[in-house]
Amino acid sequence: MKIIVVGFGNLGKALVRILLQKKEFLECKYGLSPQIIAVVDEYGVLIREKGFSAKELLGLVEKGRVVGGKRMSGREMIREVEGEVVFELTPTNIETGEPGLSHIREAMLSGKHVITSNKGPLVVAFRELEELSKKRSVEFRYSASVGGAIPVISFARKLLTGNKILAVRGVLNGTTNYILSRMSQEEVPLDIVVREAQELGIAEKDPSLDLEGVDTACKITILANSVLGKKVKLREVKREGILRVTPEVIRLAHEAGFAVKLVGTASDRVLEVGPRLVPLHHPLAVSGTLNAVTLELDLAREITLTGFGAGPQETSSSLLGDLVDIHQSLAGR
Amino acid sequence: MGVGKILVRLELELEDVPGQLVRALEPISRFGGNIKSVVHRREKKTKLGLVPVTVVLEIGDKGRFRKILSELRTQGVRITHVGEKEEFSEKTVLMAGRMGVEDLREITERINRTGRSRISDMRLSMGKEEMAVRLRLNGEDERTLEEAISLLERIAEEKGLLLVKTVEERT
């Protein structure tokens, strides 16, 4: 299977490393031989029509960027190279969805399957991309966009064969969950914990998208559209972040047997993100950078998945799951 | 909340003389009732000059509740309404921000005024500039509690406060 990797940041590098590491496993277990034939980042495009060698790929990962490649745009490369699957892993832009949105459109229009971790195109144009993928008879997977290593979207799709999914709710942002957990342990104000999280690389330099609940709102939008079959936009999500959560709030919650968590919820009645009181023994009361998602179902009642919501290696596991899934879908066609 | 406990709303009418209210509440405690709230409306005297009082109490079984009623009647307390419900719902919420005692009073009054929900417990924690308050809401059922929470959402918005609700339960 010929692979094109668009975006070569931490996630792109982790994916390449894992594809090398799991080469034999994928071959033996699924008869799947992914072959990377092109890599693109902001510095250029490297193409090997017959596939990169393991040595070349490791060299690339070590350099951390494309060196000596062609100067061409991602779209041009996607259009011109004869690949089968495009991994779209460029940074998220929730306003325009670009450049990911154009990459995905181009890939689908040129008959390539798409796997992405990029929330931007999904938030901006979910329905359009789903329809385009059907029209062009290509597979479209985006498990890594929500929950990191937790394969909530693909798991939900499997459950949908027999269950109706009534609601989804979850702790979907590792940064804010770490901050709230530390505030609870240390009884210190938010700004101090944010600085600590930044020093540890858990929070970004500008953590506002996380702290204001925008990241969680994006994920809830994606889940509402993909798992609940809604047609909702990010702006429809009622949103409150954690900026107004004080140590006093956390203390009062704790005294009554609750943790404070940033919870996103999507159902027929509700589409919202906000700090919530979660009973200490509740499945969503996960600590640190962990994520947890509960699916509410008509038959199975409730199923909660817990796991690491971020990190290149963890997120690569979802990308790999999508690749195997596409491989199996194609075999079953 | 104990399952099987009875939550009762009693509407009483008392004479407007000192000690009446304490005397009316005494049998409730004596028979193991837990008084959740008392609303004494002196400004709304009846034609007979009596003061309407609403008492909400929680009690373990009907036998003891009947004893309370009979004791109150023996004392000459006029009981105008008995509303009982075997199960009742409870929810905890937190509010935080710049607020004072007047705000807390207003919040309590607006919730209690609905007549279907009430604040049965309130805990405060003071920060440097802001206050956080934990409220326990009791209502006849989940729906009335949802209405109370919607009201709290409106109040929080009006006053620029943060409202932290309990995580939604299975719909």
Side-chain angles (χ1 to χ4, degrees):
Chain A
M1 193 173 252
K2 290 183 174 178
I3 309 278
I4 296 171
V5 178
V6 182
F8 199 58
N10 288 336
L11 185 55
K13 289 194 269 281
L15 173 71
V16 167
R17 218 178 282 128
I18 279 162
L19 287 176
L20 288 172
Q21 194 185 319
K22 297 277 177 181
K23 191 172 181 298
E24 278 176 30
F25 171 79
L26 293 171
E27 177 91 55
C28 293
K29 186 147 188 190
Y30 304 106
L32 170 62
S33 312
Q35 193 181 26
I36 297 173
I37 59 161
V39 178
V40 57
D41 70 4
E42 65 211 271
Y43 301 101
V45 176
L46 278 179
I47 303 168
R48 296 281 182 278
E49 299 283 359
K50 291 187 177 166
F52 287 96
S53 68
K55 197 178 161 194
E56 280 177 311
L57 288 172
L58 285 172
L60 253 179
V61 169
E62 207 160 290
K63 280 181 202 129
R65 49 165 284 200
V66 169
V67 180
K70 286 187 189 174
R71 292 299 305 173
M72 68 196 292
S73 73
R75 283 181 68 183
E76 283 172 297
M77 186 270 268
I78 291 168
R79 191 167 50 235
E80 286 172 21
V81 175
E82 291 289 318
E84 291 166 87
V85 177
V86 172
F87 278 95
E88 211 300 322
L89 312 174
T90 59
T92 294
N93 177 330
I94 56 165
E95 302 292 330
T96 63
E98 297 296 356
L101 182 53
S102 297
H103 292 156
I104 295 175
R105 281 192 190 124
E106 194 64 61
M108 289 178 177
L109 288 170
S110 58
K112 297 175 178 76
H113 310 296
V114 175
I115 297 171
T116 189
S117 59
N118 191 340
K119 291 186 285 293
L122 297 167
V123 164
V124 172
F126 181 84
R127 205 50 63 190
E128 178 208 317
L129 295 175
E130 277 278 308
E131 279 162 17
L132 184 60
S133 71
K134 283 192 188 108
K135 209 166 150 190
R136 293 283 162 164
S137 299
V138 293
E139 302 287 332
F140 182 34
R141 299 286 187 281
Y142 37 82
S143 295
S145 64
V146 178
I150 310 173
V152 58
I153 293 172
S154 50
F155 183 67
R157 285 206 166 143
K158 291 195 174 90
L159 285 171
L160 275 172
T161 50
N163 279 269
K164 181 171 166 40
I165 301 180
L166 306 170
V168 189
R169 67 178 66 88
V171 174
L172 299 165
N173 181 276
T175 305
T176 47
N177 203 41
Y178 175 84
I179 290 166
L180 292 172
S181 304
R182 289 290 292 156
M183 282 176 77
S184 168
Q185 287 160 1
E186 305 291 336
E187 294 202 9
V188 286
L190 183 115
D191 54 339
I192 292 177
V193 184
V194 169
R195 277 201 294 279
E196 177 192 286
Q198 284 170 321
E199 280 163 21
L200 291 169
I202 292 168
E204 293 184 30
K205 247 188 205 165
D206 176 7
S208 47
L209 287 182
D210 293 325
L211 303 183
E212 289 169 9
V214 179
D215 177 71
T216 305
C218 287
K219 290 165 177 167
I220 275 298
T221 306
I222 296 170
L223 287 172
N225 288 329
S226 63
V227 171
L228 300 180
K230 306 269 172 210
K231 288 182 179 170
V232 298
K233 297 277 182 198
L234 175 61
R235 62 172 181 274
E236 294 171 51
V237 182
K238 192 175 161 196
R239 172 174 59 82
E240 167 85 46
I242 64 164
L243 288 166
R244 297 202 284 171
V245 176
T246 59
E248 290 75 37
V249 167
I250 291 187
R251 188 183 319 126
L252 281 177
H254 205 264
E255 282 170 10
F258 295 100
V260 178
K261 300 283 165 197
L262 185 66
V263 176
T265 308
S267 70
D268 272 347
R269 295 179 304 120
V270 180
L271 191 65
E272 60 184 24
V273 170
R276 294 284 176 272
L277 298 173
V278 177
L280 291 171
H281 301 295
H282 191 280
L284 293 183
V286 289
S287 284
T289 56
L290 282 176
N291 281 203
V293 193
T294 299
L295 297 167
E296 198 182 301
L297 308 137
D298 62 342
L299 301 177
R301 291 162 62 92
E302 280 187 1
I303 297 179
T304 301
L305 302 172
T306 305
F308 290 98
Q313 181 188 299
E314 295 82 350
T315 306
S316 292
S317 123
S318 285
L319 295 174
L320 191 60
D322 281 351
L323 183 66
V324 172
D325 196 34
I326 288 182
H327 173 68
Q328 289 177 325
S329 290
L330 295 177
R333 272 185 181 183
Chain B
M1 185 187 89
V3 175
K5 278 187 179 177
I6 309 166
L7 186 73
V8 190
R9 195 170 81 218
L10 280 180
E11 306 281 353
L12 312 174
E13 286 178 7
L14 305 178
E15 281 178 36
D16 190 14
V17 291
Q20 271 295 303
L21 181 61
V22 175
R23 212 174 316 147
L25 297 180
E26 187 276 331
I28 298 176
S29 323
R30 183 155 34 103
F31 292 108
N34 178 19
I35 297 170
K36 302 288 239 177
S37 76
V38 178
V39 181
H40 189 246
R41 293 189 186 129
R42 278 193 82 191
E43 77 286 1
K44 287 193 175 172
K45 276 191 187 171
T46 65
K47 283 177 188 165
L48 297 172
L50 298 172
V51 181
V53 175
T54 305
V55 181
V56 178
L57 64 106
E58 186 187 301
I59 188 142
D61 60 75
K62 288 191 177 178
R64 282 193 285 173
F65 178 54
R66 278 194 289 270
K67 281 183 185 164
I68 292 173
L69 289 181
S70 119
E71 186 69 22
L72 287 173
R73 286 186 182 116
T74 310
Q75 283 185 17
V77 173
R78 201 172 133 82
I79 302 169
T80 56
H81 180 77
V82 179
E84 70 178 82
K85 193 161 173 57
E86 287 208 1
E87 287 189 48
F88 57 95
S89 300
E90 184 177 292
K91 265 201 167 46
T92 302
V93 296
L94 284 174
M95 293 178 97
R98 285 172 189 267
M99 58 180 151
V101 178
E102 275 308 311
D103 296 301
L104 297 178
R105 196 196 312 269
E106 186 192 328
I107 292 166
T108 313
E109 279 175 8
R110 283 173 74 176
I111 291 291
N112 288 349
R113 215 182 295 147
T114 64
R116 293 183 300 277
S117 304
R118 62 204 174 76
I119 293 172
S120 60
D121 189 42
M122 184 182 274
R123 298 291 151 107
L124 305 179
S125 180
M126 304 296 295
K128 273 183 197 156
E129 290 169 353
E130 298 192 337
M131 186 200 281
V133 57
R134 188 179 74 224
L135 306 172
R136 189 166 68 208
L137 292 168
N138 283 122
E140 291 169 4
D141 50 37
E142 289 293 320
R143 219 176 109 197
T144 49
L145 279 183
E146 270 176 33
E147 286 166 9
I149 287 169
S150 298
L151 176 57
L152 284 178
E153 279 177 327
R154 286 200 296 280
I155 296 172
E157 210 174 308
E158 285 165 23
K159 294 180 178 289
L161 301 174
L162 169 71
L163 175 72
V164 185
K165 301 181 282 187
T166 309
V167 70
E168 296 80 359
E169 281 161 23
R170 192 173 155 71
T171 45

